[in-house]
Amino acid sequence: MNNVTLVRKEPSESLFREDGLRLDGRGLDELRPIRMEVGVLNNADGSAYVEHGKNKIVAAVYGPRELHPKHLALPDKALVRCEYRMATFSVEERKSPAPGRREVELSKVIRESLEPAIFVYKYPRATIDVFVQILQADGGTRCASITAAALALADAGVPMRDLVVGCAVGKIEGKVAVDLSDVEDKLGEGDIPMALMPTKKVITLLQSDGDFTPEEFKQALEMGIAACEKIYEMQRDILIERYSKVREEVAEEQEEE
Amino acid sequence: MNNVTLVRKEPSESLFREDGLRLDGRGLDELRPIRMEVGVLNNADGSAYVEHGKNKIVAAVYGPRELHPKHLALPDKALVRCEYRMATFSVEERKSPAPGRREVELSKVIRESLEPAIFVYKYPRATIDVFVQILQADGGTRCASITAAALALADAGVPMRDLVVGCAVGKIEGKVAVDLSDVEDKLGEGDIPMALMPTKKVITLLQSDGDFTPEEFKQALEMGIAACEKIYEMQRDILIERYSKVREEVAEEQEEE
Amino acid sequence: MNNVTLVRKEPSESLFREDGLRLDGRGLDELRPIRMEVGVLNNADGSAYVEHGKNKIVAAVYGPRELHPKHLALPDKALVRCEYRMATFSVEERKSPAPGRREVELSKVIRESLEPAIFVYKYPRATIDVFVQILQADGGTRCASITAAALALADAGVPMRDLVVGCAVGKIEGKVAVDLSDVEDKLGEGDIPMALMPTKKVITLLQSDGDFTPEEFKQALEMGIAACEKIYEMQRDILIERYSKVREEVAEEQEEE
Amino acid sequence: MVGLSEVTSAIEREHISSLLVHGKRIDDRGLFEFRNIEVEVSPIEKAEGSAQVVLGGTKVVAGVKVDVGPPFSDTPNKGVLTCNAELTPIASPFFESGPPDEQTVELARVVDRGIRESKAVDLEKLVLIPGEKVRVCFVDVYVLDYDGNLFDASEIAASVALMAAKVPEVEVNEDTGEITVLDKKQLLPISNIPVSATFAKIDGVLVLDPCLKEERVQDARITMTSTQEGNICAFQKGGIGTITLEDVDTVIEVVKEKAEPVRDLIRELTKEVRGEI
Amino acid sequence: MVGLSEVTSAIEREHISSLLVHGKRIDDRGLFEFRNIEVEVSPIEKAEGSAQVVLGGTKVVAGVKVDVGPPFSDTPNKGVLTCNAELTPIASPFFESGPPDEQTVELARVVDRGIRESKAVDLEKLVLIPGEKVRVCFVDVYVLDYDGNLFDASEIAASVALMAAKVPEVEVNEDTGEITVLDKKQLLPISNIPVSATFAKIDGVLVLDPCLKEERVQDARITMTSTQEGNICAFQKGGIGTITLEDVDTVIEVVKEKAEPVRDLIRELTKEVRGEI
Amino acid sequence: MVGLSEVTSAIEREHISSLLVHGKRIDDRGLFEFRNIEVEVSPIEKAEGSAQVVLGGTKVVAGVKVDVGPPFSDTPNKGVLTCNAELTPIASPFFESGPPDEQTVELARVVDRGIRESKAVDLEKLVLIPGEKVRVCFVDVYVLDYDGNLFDASEIAASVALMAAKVPEVEVNEDTGEITVLDKKQLLPISNIPVSATFAKIDGVLVLDPCLKEERVQDARITMTSTQEGNICAFQKGGIGTITLEDVDTVIEVVKEKAEPVRDLIRELTKEVRGEI
């Protein structure tokens, strides 16, 4: 903005505290607080809400359902589509409502990270639509989006061979650390967003920017896999809780009858 | 515009003259001069031109006709569509040719004000398209557009259970007055665009902005209805004139044969 | 650009040298150096590359092929489509990647200059798609594009009643001269882009801007036709060369078998 | 949304209608009763102000971002306020991605009119350098779940987000025109609290705060926004049915009674942050 | 417009063509005769200049708006002129809403070239502060009824609108660069009056000012715009047919005779407002 | 590209796959062998820098244009670098005109990341007046023929175009902020040469630099971009298959060996213009 000076708090000089922990008190392999909720929306076939650090993300799934226009349909499998969108107020400077190039790319890689887990050949000519809305962004949105979208897919009853769980690993002041926060992401030396199919232990998303030696990169992947496995525990727990709740509700309804 | 100072005539201090009449010499319940013409275009199935104050408006109707693409068609009734567009030169500052949000909203409310009068169930799967082009805008364009569009619908021979006629009522210097001019609209305290199916005496458009007490609002509606009824007289007269002209022409043609 | 002063070489005072020749040493009826290549791309059904002065142009043709969406198909003949696009770096100031109005118009006139030469009635319901990419622009791009596109059509085996060849004629310092270069185009008094079906000797593109007396205009057309005929020689030679090469390759392959 | 009413079976319509003649609604509410309203204040820390509103099964989030920019050339002495709505496909299988459609634009513009015409935000106080620099307020409403009556849910969310907003104080150097954004925060200047009330007209009967099932069979929709003085600052008839003077009278009467509790709720929710009643 | 010629029956084409071989047209005009031209000068008071032109069954309205803005960086000493056309769906069932298509862009650009290349508007005189502030003229043509030959109708409308335009005088403070828009009006600096003549070529025969029925069966279209000196300032062949040198000769000959009466009409119509012959 | 893999016959896939289990490829290359790379340096005289790269049957042209403009507000002390890609319909019957699709955006952004994260261009040195005027570099890649592996062809073309670019020197008057563009040219400040290597994973087997036939049947794609120090500056998995830690190990090992010869080629090609090794 022309002629407008921003006086902002200087970022602290180091991303580590004197006791060696990260600014928010975490160790190198520690995740930010994560909260998950499933079935948060009425209209979508499946939905989930994930808070990961200050990320606040809603994911919704429709399908498998009929595809319009029909000529887009695939003869042998379901078409998986994904839209990743950030709310205008989700970031420091207001974002234009129109999707930018980053949102287009992330829609693609999120879709490609989810599709390997879906039994797409069960639904030829159908579509499975995944929508991700970032209400607040705080570093690692694409990874938390994948965690949320996988929950929404499960909530929609889409048959899957595995869940998918996302987490980023980065490098701050020369050290590999999992799950960078916003400030770590901005001041750090690199970021590796990844996603895992946890029971198969295969990677479905892997990107990187910044500067990593091959050794750092491999170390990062191993730490990332471990972090993803922790998040997967939470995913599984929340789904079990959800199923038992649904089962209870059904049981109660039957009793009432 | 940066560094450009506009020296414009100061708007007069009051919207009323010393004799109590409005700046253009009207009383509170008096309409601006209105001129209507029907069948002004060759290609459209029906058309009308309305001058209402300095508003200059052309309306055209196509249909009932086949709808493309077909999947938009409604199984049980005609789809009514409406586009309201302002010419770039219709307003003080040149308008971009691309439709803005105001034009999108007005297209919707004009359509919703006309459809109640149309026997849409006579034409399942068809479309009736209404186009309104504002050549010059002068306060109350949407209302005058409805008056013009209803004439064009009648001219196209679309079966209607009633005409529709539009007029705005506003508040200037604390007084409720019909049919605000541009300057009254800008400096006044509120504006209520409305449309009436005159023989049924039901309202098909009602919007409001500004500040009205409930009493003022009700008074405004009553004055608006009375004003609409006056415009309706003109609408009816011009249609009768048009029909008799057409009848004469047909008769002449038959004589010639 | 605000506050940015460009110090550029002053354009020379005259577009003619002391010896009466043009700045690049050409006479009034002389063409710039032209280089043509056919079959330069693997994926297109036909393709050509043309350098005409500093113009560098790739043309590609697909078809006759099935048309999607089908409702655009013509019942009695092939639909010819054309897209003319300039690379962002093809001109002095970077061009936006989105097509501008000039590109839209040129796409139309190039298409209309090619279609007369194509036996479109042989392929009802099909489409023939012509794509022209300007890699570098240097005056007369549309004409050189037509030359290139006609070669690509021939290379694709699209049945044609004639080739098409383009060349511009202009007016510089009061003199009619063929094939203006960039600087001549900018500083000259007018430009007439034209295209010819050379064996039929009919004109398929003719535009003009600038200021020409009727006599100059007619003189320009005659010079343009002569210039087009020279380029046609090159077109024919390159196609003969291409065919014999293809024939040789086929022969070699048969020998190998 | 074209074709939506068509797919709703005539049976559904008859069911709703037959209840209404007995003064009953499909979800057992009174004709002029709002559904449950739950509001979360400031859920989005990165927005200057925000609110999530759950109205029955409808859920919206509004966020306010405030920037510095030039005023509109015809209002050099006013700040800029812009309302925008996004009907995300998350909220309904009938919402599609892409540029805003008629329904979205109408929602945004009716919410905008309510705020603007009630003078909820005192735009004159947002001027930093007259004619040159003013505060620019963006109010963006995201619909997350659609169960009818987006208007009232969005209007409440927008009002709460604006009232809860904290924007950085700025210092203006009037000589150089330079603006320094300080670390200290201040509230937005709020002069009024508009409250909208939306009615569905079904077979001649008006009901307040229609749910989706009711909206699908409604003939007309009426939204009326009132100021804290009880005046009408915005009115919008929607839908392809008609309304009568009597309908307008009814709406005015109901609003007199039903708007104030909503306004009280908004005041209560933002009391703490604004430090006032 | 794709497919339009296809739907026109071969019978229609044969009918028109068989008349043409006898030198006759379906509306009884001579081959090189314009239809009736009716012009309304300045129908749009809010535009700086405007004109409505009815050419046979074709009706267009042109409006001129003049603003102040920066020049193009490659022409710092010239004002800015922009022509735009809108083929509104009002004018024809074959015109669609949306961003301008090929046909619309061609129309706008051919009208633009006629005005620009004839130096109708003296752009050098529109400079206020060289390289910084110039007058920006928008010429917008709206087609209201389409019965063939949009080119000539639009060119006449644009010319009359420009000649009839009255723009506010301005005062430039060369020290501060401030521009004051005065209440007094002045004419635009007009140096030439371009007149275009459009021909359809049908089965080898050229006709001037084709009506829609003729356009639908034409093989090629030729538009030639001439200056008041009789020079050619714009030429545009359209359509998928071919033309010959003889066609061009014919066009040039016809224009010699037919352009001047149109130019006289334009002069006559704007004589009063411009206070000159 | 939706549906592309579906139309490729299962037979083609089986053929490629059955060769791969024997360590063979359909074009007889080794698993980790690049196709022939031909580079033309500076084919586009009007671009500040340019390069045409032919990689097997894939052909791309990259052009660099450099302008002067404001920096991004969050990086006032850095020049601006923008990568853009165009998948022209010329290059493949599967590419369509229109705004950039997912595939195009991904290509542009991966090339961009390689250049940006390797600090290939020293953006700090592109600042003219901090916070106000910097050089703006546009790198535009046009794909002319598509036979697989657009990533590596584009990355090479972009690198060569940047290294070969000659931009006019400028003089900055720090008092007035005026910038004078001189006639003398200088090179862009280049700090690193990123090289990307793209692999297709087909039935569990990784191959370097896939051709189109291989891409059509690939399960996943891996692009890894390395710096001249041997570090990883960009990584991108694509496609709907999965990859393993072992795949990543393999990729890292292959890149160690295969990236340097490409980097040497780029150095060699631009040695003359840059006057350095």
Side-chain angles (χ1 to χ4, degrees), chain B residues 164-182:
Chain B
V164 189
V165 54
C167 189
V169 200
K171 190 165 119 187
I172 46 175
E173 298 179 16
K175 292 186 183 118
V176 177
V178 302
D179 193 19
L180 300 196
S181 69
D182 224 7

Side-chain angles (χ1 to χ4, degrees), chain C residues 27 30 34 40 46 62 72 90 111 128 132 135-136 151 159 177 206 232 235 237 244 256:
Chain C
E30 239 175 295
I34 298 175
V40 296
Y62 293 95
L72 293 179
S90 65
R111 172 172 59 76
I128 296 166
V132 174
L135 294 174
Q136 185 161 269
L151 287 174
L206 188 54
Y232 168 58
Q235 259 186 340
D237 291 350
S244 51
E256 281 171 25

Side-chain angles (χ1 to χ4, degrees), chain C:
Chain C
M1 187 67 53
N2 210 5
N3 273 337
V4 178
T5 314
L6 295 175
V7 179
R8 288 231 172 95
K9 278 203 199 101
E10 277 303 298
S12 59
E13 289 179 16
S14 169
L15 291 168
F16 289 97
R17 311 192 307 198
E18 289 194 1
D19 61 4
L21 294 176
R22 293 150 77 178
L23 287 183
D24 52 10
R26 288 187 287 153
L28 291 174
D29 61 352
E30 239 175 295
L31 292 165
R32 289 173 289 178
I34 298 175
R35 196 164 77 78
M36 302 177 183
E37 222 175 310
V38 177
V40 296
L41 302 176
N42 298 311
N43 284 316
D45 295 330
S47 61
Y49 174 73
V50 166
E51 283 186 13
H52 186 140
K54 287 186 185 168
N55 285 306
K56 299 193 176 185
I57 298 170
V58 183
V61 167
Y62 293 95
R65 60 178 177 181
E66 220 185 317
L67 177 58
H68 296 282
K70 289 192 178 180
H71 73 265
L72 293 179
L74 307 180
D76 56 345
K77 64 172 191 171
L79 177 67
V80 180
R81 297 187 291 191
C82 178
E83 272 185 30
Y84 165 96
R85 292 286 182 274
M86 306 189 77
T88 53
F89 46 72
S90 65
V91 283
E92 218 51 68
E93 301 263 312
R94 179 178 183 264
K95 207 206 136 286
S96 152
R101 300 209 309 172
R102 185 177 170 278
E103 284 159 292
V104 172
E105 185 198 349
L106 265 54
S107 296
K108 180 176 191 288
V109 297
I110 291 172
R111 172 172 59 76
E112 291 174 341
S113 77
L114 296 169
E115 183 160 344
I118 302 171
F119 285 110
V120 287
Y121 290 96
K122 282 206 167 181
Y123 303 99
R125 312 200 63 75
T127 182
I128 296 166
D129 288 317
V130 179
F131 298 102
V132 174
Q133 182 68 52
I134 307 296
L135 294 174
Q136 185 161 269
D138 181 39
T141 58
R142 84 196 71 181
C143 297
S145 296
I146 289 166
T147 305
L151 287 174
L153 282 164
D155 184 43
V158 171
M160 295 168 80
R161 54 172 63 85
D162 202 347
L163 279 171
V164 189
V165 53
C167 188
V169 199
K171 190 166 117 187
I172 45 176
E173 298 179 17
K175 292 188 183 115
V176 176
V178 302
D179 193 19
L180 301 195
S181 69
D182 224 7
V183 61
E184 290 174 332
D185 192 13
K186 258 163 212 153
L187 301 177
E189 298 105 79
D191 193 43
I192 303 173
M194 59 185 290
L196 195 71
M197 276 166 53
T199 59
K200 306 266 174 196
K201 268 222 175 192
V202 289
I203 296 166
T204 66
L205 170 84
L206 188 54
Q207 299 183 282
S208 168
D209 56 20
D211 189 79
F212 292 90
T213 66
E215 294 66 38
E216 286 167 346
F217 198 80
K218 289 181 199 174
Q219 186 197 347
L221 293 202
E222 271 161 28
M223 286 173 72
I225 288 174
C228 283
E229 283 170 344
K230 283 186 214 163
I231 302 173
Y232 168 58
E233 299 292 308
M234 294 183 239
Q235 259 186 340
R236 222 183 34 189
D237 291 350
I238 198 83
L239 284 174
I240 290 169
E241 192 186 308
R242 166 79 174 161
Y243 289 141
S244 51
K245 214 190 214 160
V246 170
R247 214 178 299 130
E248 274 168 42
E249 283 169 11
V250 172
E252 274 171 37
E253 276 172 32
Q254 285 173 334
E255 265 175 51
E256 281 171 25
E257 281 167 26

Side-chain angles (χ1 to χ4, degrees), chain F residues 10-225:
Chain F
I11 296 157
E12 179 85 1
R13 188 186 163 94
E14 211 175 283
H15 173 56
I16 290 173
S17 194
S18 67
L19 285 172
L20 284 179
V21 292
H22 297 97
K24 288 187 181 168
R25 295 171 75 170
I26 40 167
D27 53 8
D28 288 329
R29 277 187 289 156
L31 294 185
F32 302 132
E33 198 182 330
F34 272 110
R35 288 171 292 179
N36 198 33
I37 306 173
E38 284 170 41
V39 183
E40 195 183 339
V41 183
S42 304
I44 309 300
E45 297 92 333
K46 292 204 178 178
E48 272 79 323
S50 65
Q52 174 174 293
V53 170
V54 178
L55 175 64
T58 287
K59 184 191 279 192
V60 308
V61 176
V64 172
K65 296 292 275 186
V66 180
D67 207 343
V68 172
F72 288 122
S73 62
D74 52 345
T75 53
N77 292 312
K78 283 191 179 183
V80 171
L81 176 79
T82 302
C83 284
N84 180 52
E86 296 286 326
L87 271 51
T88 70
I90 277 182
S92 163
F94 299 104
F95 295 165
E96 284 173 17
S97 302
D101 62 2
E102 274 188 0
Q103 193 186 3
T104 307
V105 168
E106 187 186 30
L107 173 61
R109 284 176 58 86
V110 170
V111 171
D112 186 287
R113 276 205 283 277
I115 294 169
R116 190 178 304 279
E117 299 296 337
S118 69
K119 303 187 170 49
V121 180
D122 191 342
L123 297 179
E124 274 86 358
K125 292 194 180 149
L126 297 183
V127 177
L128 303 175
I129 306 172
E132 296 201 3
K133 292 272 182 241
V134 300
R135 290 198 197 259
V136 179
C137 298
F138 295 97
V139 182
D140 291 294
V141 178
Y142 282 75
V143 178
L144 297 183
D145 220 350
Y146 171 44
D147 186 21
N149 195 8
L150 298 178
F151 289 86
D152 298 349
S154 300
E155 186 77 53
I156 295 169
S159 286
V160 174
L162 282 166
M163 291 184 72
K166 286 178 176 175
V167 301
E169 289 188 19
V170 298
E171 237 172 47
V172 179
N173 182 326
E174 302 211 351
D175 296 334
T176 63
E178 232 171 272
I179 288 169
T180 310
V181 181
L182 307 178
D183 212 34
K184 220 175 134 194
K185 301 274 178 134
Q186 65 185 144
L187 296 167
L188 285 176
I190 301 292
S191 306
N192 210 319
I193 305 174
V195 169
S196 72
T198 295
F199 299 77
K201 184 173 175 182
I202 303 167
D203 271 352
V205 182
L206 289 172
V207 298
L208 180 64
D209 181 26
C211 66
L212 181 55
K213 282 187 177 170
E214 290 169 334
E215 274 197 3
R216 282 171 151 201
V217 301
Q218 76 190 1
D219 301 304
R221 195 200 65 236
I222 296 174
T223 298
M224 181 173 133
T225 309

Side-chain angles (χ1 to χ4, degrees), chain A residues 71-163:
Chain A
H71 73 266
L72 292 180
L74 306 181
D76 57 344
K77 63 172 192 170
L79 177 67
V80 180
R81 296 187 292 191
C82 177
E83 273 185 30
Y84 165 96
R85 291 286 182 272
M86 306 190 77
T88 54
F89 46 71
S90 64
V91 282
E92 218 51 68
E93 301 264 310
R94 180 179 184 263
K95 207 205 136 287
S96 152
R101 299 209 309 172
R102 183 177 171 279
E103 283 160 292
V104 172
E105 185 199 347
L106 265 54
S107 296
K108 180 177 191 286
V109 297
I110 292 171
R111 172 173 57 76
E112 291 175 340
S113 77
L114 296 169
E115 185 161 342
I118 302 171
F119 285 110
V120 287
Y121 290 96
K122 281 207 168 178
Y123 302 98
R125 311 202 62 76
T127 182
I128 296 165
D129 288 318
V130 178
F131 297 103
V132 174
Q133 181 68 52
I134 307 296
L135 294 174
Q136 185 160 270
D138 181 38
T141 57
R142 85 195 71 181
C143 297
S145 296
I146 289 167
T147 305
L151 286 173
L153 282 164
D155 185 43
V158 172
M160 294 167 81
R161 53 173 63 87
D162 202 349
L163 280 171

Side-chain angles (χ1 to χ4, degrees), chain A residues 42 56 83 92 136-137 182, chain D residues 43 45-46 65 97 145-146:
Chain A
N42 299 311
K56 300 192 175 184
E83 273 185 30
E92 218 51 68
Q136 185 160 270
D182 225 5
Chain D
E45 296 93 333
K46 293 204 177 179
K65 297 291 279 185
S97 303
D145 221 349
Y146 172 43

Side-chain angles (χ1 to χ4, degrees), chain D residues 10-277:
Chain D
I11 296 157
E12 179 83 2
R13 187 185 164 94
E14 210 175 284
H15 173 56
I16 290 172
S17 195
S18 68
L19 284 172
L20 284 179
V21 294
H22 298 98
K24 287 188 182 170
R25 294 172 75 172
I26 39 166
D27 55 7
D28 287 330
R29 277 187 289 158
L31 294 186
F32 301 132
E33 198 182 329
F34 272 110
R35 288 170 293 177
N36 198 33
I37 305 175
E38 284 171 41
V39 184
E40 193 183 340
V41 183
S42 304
I44 309 298
E45 296 93 333
K46 293 204 177 179
E48 271 79 322
S50 64
Q52 174 175 292
V53 170
V54 179
L55 176 63
T58 286
K59 183 192 279 191
V60 308
V61 176
V64 172
K65 297 291 279 185
V66 181
D67 207 341
V68 172
F72 288 122
S73 63
D74 53 344
T75 53
N77 294 312
K78 283 192 179 182
V80 172
L81 177 80
T82 302
C83 285
N84 180 53
E86 297 284 327
L87 271 50
T88 70
I90 276 182
S92 162
F94 299 103
F95 295 167
E96 283 174 17
S97 303
D101 61 2
E102 274 188 2
Q103 192 187 5
T104 307
V105 168
E106 187 186 31
L107 173 61
R109 283 177 59 85
V110 170
V111 171
D112 186 286
R113 276 204 284 277
I115 294 168
R116 189 179 306 278
E117 300 297 336
S118 68
K119 301 187 172 48
V121 181
D122 191 341
L123 295 181
E124 275 85 358
K125 293 194 181 152
L126 297 185
V127 177
L128 302 176
I129 306 173
E132 296 202 5
K133 294 271 179 241
V134 300
R135 290 196 196 261
V136 179
C137 298
F138 295 97
V139 182
D140 292 295
V141 178
Y142 282 75
V143 178
L144 298 183
D145 221 349
Y146 172 43
D147 187 22
N149 195 7
L150 297 178
F151 289 86
D152 298 350
S154 300
E155 186 77 53
I156 296 169
S159 286
V160 174
L162 283 166
M163 292 184 72
K166 286 179 175 175
V167 302
E169 290 187 16
V170 298
E171 238 172 46
V172 180
N173 183 326
E174 302 210 353
D175 295 333
T176 63
E178 232 171 272
I179 290 168
T180 310
V181 181
L182 307 178
D183 212 36
K184 221 175 134 192
K185 302 274 178 136
Q186 65 184 144
L187 296 167
L188 285 176
I190 301 293
S191 307
N192 211 317
I193 303 175
V195 168
S196 71
T198 294
F199 299 76
K201 183 173 176 183
I202 304 167
D203 271 352
V205 181
L206 288 172
V207 299
L208 180 64
D209 180 26
C211 65
L212 181 55
K213 282 186 178 171
E214 290 169 335
E215 274 198 2
R216 284 171 150 202
V217 303
Q218 76 191 359
D219 301 305
R221 193 200 65 235
I222 296 175
T223 298
M224 181 174 133
T225 309
S226 60
T227 65
Q228 58 200 16
E229 294 80 18
N231 286 355
I232 296 157
C233 63
F235 196 103
Q236 183 90 347
K237 176 251 168 185
I240 55 172
T242 63
I243 60 173
T244 63
L245 283 183
E246 293 70 42
D247 293 332
V248 176
D249 286 344
T250 305
V251 164
I252 288 175
E253 286 314 303
V254 172
V255 167
K256 238 175 229 170
E257 193 191 333
K258 300 294 181 182
E260 206 48 35
V262 177
R263 194 170 285 114
D264 283 339
L265 175 69
I266 294 173
R267 274 200 202 96
E268 184 62 31
L269 286 162
T270 56
K271 193 169 69 174
E272 201 181 336
V273 60
R274 295 195 69 84
E276 47 176 296
I277 314 150

Side-chain angles (χ1 to χ4, degrees), chain E residues 38 46 57 68 72 94 101 111 114 129 132 181 185 217 224 228:
Chain E
E38 286 171 40
K46 294 205 177 180
V68 172
F72 288 122
F94 298 104
D101 63 3
V111 171
I129 306 172
E132 296 202 5
V181 181
K185 301 273 180 138
V217 303
M224 181 173 131
Q228 57 199 16

